[in-house]
Amino acid sequence: MKNIDSFISWAKRRGFAFESQEMYSGLSGVWDFGYYGTLFKKNIKDFWWKKFVESRSDVVAVESSILTKEDVFKASGHLESFTDPMIECQKCRTRFRADEAKFKGKCVSCGSDNLSEPKKFNLMFQTQLGEYLRPETAQGMFVNFKNTLETTRKKIPFGIAQIGKSFRNELVSSGNFLFRLREFEIAEIEYFVHPEEDDYYFNQWQKDWENFLTDIGLSEKNLKKFSHPKKDLAHYSKKTVDWQYKFPFGWKELSGLANRTDFDLKNHSQKTGKDLTIFDEKSNKKYFPYVIEPTIGIERLFFALLWEAFEISDGQNRLNKGEIILKLNPKLSPIKVAIFPLVNKEGMDKSAQQIFEDLKEKISCEYDDKGSIGRRYRRQDEIGTPFCVTVDGETKKNNSVTIRQRDTGRQKRIKIKDLYNYLETNI
Ligand code: GAP
């Protein structure tokens, strides 16, 4: 049975994620990504980008700065309202979130029931010069609303998309892997609509978003939708729906969709005196567009996708007990194909190297000639490589190799000249 501890140690061992600066005893809520983690993360972002930017003519992109002026967060309400309720233990002074899973009315550290009332703490990081590190990418899209509109000549409805680093001064409990971080990436879209069409587009985005979550590789049984009750809505929201994922420590927010109304554009316009309205040709009136915002943390998605794909064999299938296989969507796999010579002789290594050279510019691949072939297959299964190609004794005779499929372990022969086409159609 998989559990969070075996999962985290595998993720480190296989180069997906490392606690940042671990040799200096780590930095709470900050993680680094190893080679396979970096490739995997890039593939997640590319998948999102392809789906919501490249394949849509109504969504464009922007890359806005991380450093943000205080005035922007005054207008957006973050300075006042971007807070989390925290409880402080009066005995040992530990501070923890009021919604922390371990909190059962007693201090999560020393067990004392001498606790403060929940107090609000602002989650933004301020720099020494007074600017802030943004806690979300959204404001960078609102302050670029007019620039984008003018330079792309889009008409309402249209969206601005962005993926970027965000920072929150969160209290992080150990063992939650990438769930709650202080430095993380958000992928979000601000979709601008006519105020009378907000409910229609909200529903459209719900469908698009649900398809995205399942297309990328999460199963429906591990996802559930949660509508925020009115009293718990963020300061800018008329309606918010979250998608929760069944993380190893329970159902938790993975992603959200909010109707931000005209809150942000109106406030930025009022604070700066800049006109952020649209002229409606039908009614001959100006209006502030409403905003529908689908948002997701890339690291949370990274975590969910890995957890979903991670299996430890119980020995009842073709794998031995305890062997790990990562059944990732091949589009997200860090390495798409591994190329092996069966043995390092009779020219097999040269042929395998040649195949690797021919493929490596077109597809993410890896060459491996160390250890037994079985161990090489195992290693690739563990990092989710969908295909392994082996050059063997027959290759010289008829220019063919074996190609092995990760999830079934089945192999078939294929001509070297057909290899790339085969991979392209099956990934
Ligand atoms: N612009 C809206 C916004 O920022 P949010 O729900 O606060 O909304 C968006 O954050 C997404 O970012 C969340 O759905 C979650 O996936 C991710 N997220 C939020 N806080 C996070 C944290 N401390 N660590 C990792 N991911 C986080």
Side-chain angles (χ1 to χ4, degrees):
M1 267 285 278
K2 64 181 181 182
N3 61 48
I4 183 75
D5 294 332
S6 56
F7 174 73
I8 295 177
S9 77
W10 158 83
K12 289 183 188 171
R13 196 174 66 245
R14 285 301 180 206
F16 279 86
F18 310 120
E19 277 158 77
S20 186
Q21 299 145 71
E22 199 175 4
M23 63 196 290
Y24 286 93
S25 49
L27 182 57
S28 163
V30 185
W31 284 72
D32 294 340
F33 298 90
Y35 178 44
Y36 299 122
T38 305
L39 294 176
F40 177 53
K41 201 168 175 217
K42 179 177 180 302
N43 293 343
I44 295 173
K45 291 189 277 184
D46 287 351
F47 191 99
W48 183 91
W49 194 263
K50 206 171 208 144
K51 185 134 192 134
F52 294 119
V53 185
E54 280 174 10
S55 51
R56 294 181 66 132
S57 55
D58 58 342
V59 179
V60 293
V62 75
E63 187 179 316
S64 67
S65 68
I66 290 170
L67 284 176
T68 309
K69 291 178 76 147
E70 183 166 83
D71 285 347
V72 173
F73 291 129
K74 271 190 192 150
S76 69
H78 281 82
L79 218 51
E80 204 174 295
S81 311
F82 198 63
T83 55
D84 255 356
M86 303 278 184
I87 293 175
E88 193 169 55
C89 172
Q90 308 295 342
K91 191 171 164 210
C92 72
R93 295 284 154 207
T94 298
R95 210 186 276 167
F96 52 91
R97 292 168 61 95
D99 64 357
E100 189 163 327
K102 280 190 280 178
F103 176 54
K104 304 270 181 299
K106 293 191 188 303
C107 170
V108 300
S109 174
C110 74
S112 164
D113 54 12
N114 186 4
L115 305 173
S116 75
E117 285 300 307
K119 284 187 224 156
K120 286 182 174 176
F121 285 88
N122 196 293
L123 296 179
M124 285 196 294
F125 282 105
Q126 192 170 22
T127 69
Q128 285 187 328
L129 297 177
E131 294 116 3
Y132 288 86
L133 302 183
R134 64 182 177 196
E136 58 168 16
T137 63
Q139 298 308 319
M141 300 191 267
F142 298 129
V143 297
N144 279 297
F145 172 66
K146 261 279 143 90
N147 293 336
T148 306
L149 202 61
E150 282 163 14
T151 52
T152 62
R153 297 160 62 226
K154 291 286 165 201
K155 293 246 180 302
I156 301 286
F158 83 101
I160 309 181
Q162 168 158 230
I163 301 180
K165 285 264 185 181
S166 304
F167 301 82
R168 296 184 187 181
N169 194 7
E170 305 261 21
L171 275 184
V172 178
S173 42
S174 62
N176 82 5
F177 192 47
L178 304 176
F179 183 76
R180 197 176 302 288
L181 301 173
R182 295 193 301 145
E183 174 178 335
F184 58 102
E185 285 190 271
I186 294 185
E188 62 192 352
I189 299 164
E190 307 306 323
Y191 197 77
F192 301 94
V193 304
H194 191 286
E196 283 165 15
E197 294 180 326
D198 63 335
D199 291 336
Y200 171 80
Y201 283 107
F202 190 92
N203 290 337
Q204 279 301 112
W205 273 104
Q206 269 194 74
K207 286 183 208 143
D208 290 353
W209 205 250
E210 255 153 29
N211 288 339
F212 162 69
L213 293 174
T214 48
D215 285 356
I216 198 168
L218 301 175
S219 56
E220 276 175 35
K221 70 174 179 7
N222 291 330
L223 285 167
K224 78 178 176 199
K225 209 156 59 178
F226 167 76
S227 265
H228 286 226
K230 275 233 150 42
K231 65 175 178 46
D232 295 340
L233 288 174
H235 59 279
Y236 51 74
S237 174
K238 170 178 161 187
K239 182 173 181 185
T240 299
V241 167
D242 281 348
W243 282 269
Q244 299 184 335
Y245 182 74
K246 200 172 176 194
F247 284 101
F249 32 76
W251 290 97
K252 296 274 175 198
E253 176 192 335
L254 168 68
S255 167
L257 177 70
N259 180 345
R260 288 184 83 120
T261 66
D262 54 5
F263 177 88
D264 301 271
L265 290 183
K266 216 179 215 169
N267 281 319
H268 288 307
S269 179
Q270 274 164 7
K271 284 275 180 326
T272 58
K274 299 271 186 301
D275 182 9
L276 300 180
T277 57
I278 297 284
F279 181 72
D280 184 7
E281 286 170 7
K282 265 199 229 144
S283 63
N284 270 343
K285 280 192 196 136
K286 285 180 165 185
Y287 69 91
F288 285 101
Y290 269 37
V291 173
I292 309 300
E293 178 194 64
T295 181
I296 191 159
I298 295 294
E299 287 81 356
R300 263 189 209 180
L301 182 56
F302 181 115
F303 182 177
L305 287 163
L306 280 190
W307 178 253
E308 178 99 27
F310 179 75
E311 287 183 13
I312 303 182
S313 171
D314 56 5
Q316 302 299 308
N317 51 21
R318 68 185 174 81
L319 298 174
N320 296 321
K321 191 164 185 220
E323 284 178 349
I324 291 171
I325 183 163
L326 189 69
K327 293 187 172 168
L328 281 181
N329 173 347
K331 288 197 170 37
L332 302 181
S333 294
I335 304 292
K336 310 293 189 221
V337 55
I339 297 141
F340 312 143
L342 184 60
V343 285
N344 282 319
K345 53 185 186 189
E346 294 160 27
M348 291 184 211
D349 45 352
K350 285 223 167 53
S351 300
Q353 273 162 17
Q354 189 57 53
I355 295 172
F356 172 68
E357 289 299 321
D358 293 344
L359 286 178
K360 76 175 198 271
E361 279 180 23
K362 294 186 258 187
I363 195 161
S364 169
C365 54
E366 201 165 83
Y367 177 82
D368 188 6
D369 60 5
K370 288 174 208 74
S372 74
I373 194 81
R375 284 179 77 96
R376 283 180 265 166
Y377 285 145
R378 281 286 78 71
R379 187 173 172 279
Q380 296 298 330
D381 285 347
E382 273 206 38
I383 60 166
T385 305
F387 296 106
C388 291
V389 163
T390 304
V391 169
D392 56 14
E394 228 180 292
T395 304
K396 233 194 320 197
K397 294 182 206 147
N398 57 14
N399 284 321
S400 71
V401 288
T402 64
I403 187 157
R404 170 190 178 272
Q405 211 270 338
R406 176 194 66 202
D407 297 348
T408 59
R410 262 184 236 124
Q411 299 188 24
K412 63 177 195 168
R413 288 206 83 82
I414 180 169
K415 294 279 182 205
I416 296 173
K417 70 174 172 48
D418 298 330
L419 202 50
Y420 179 64
N421 269 351
Y422 179 86
L423 293 167
E424 224 194 0
T425 25
N426 287 284
I427 287 172

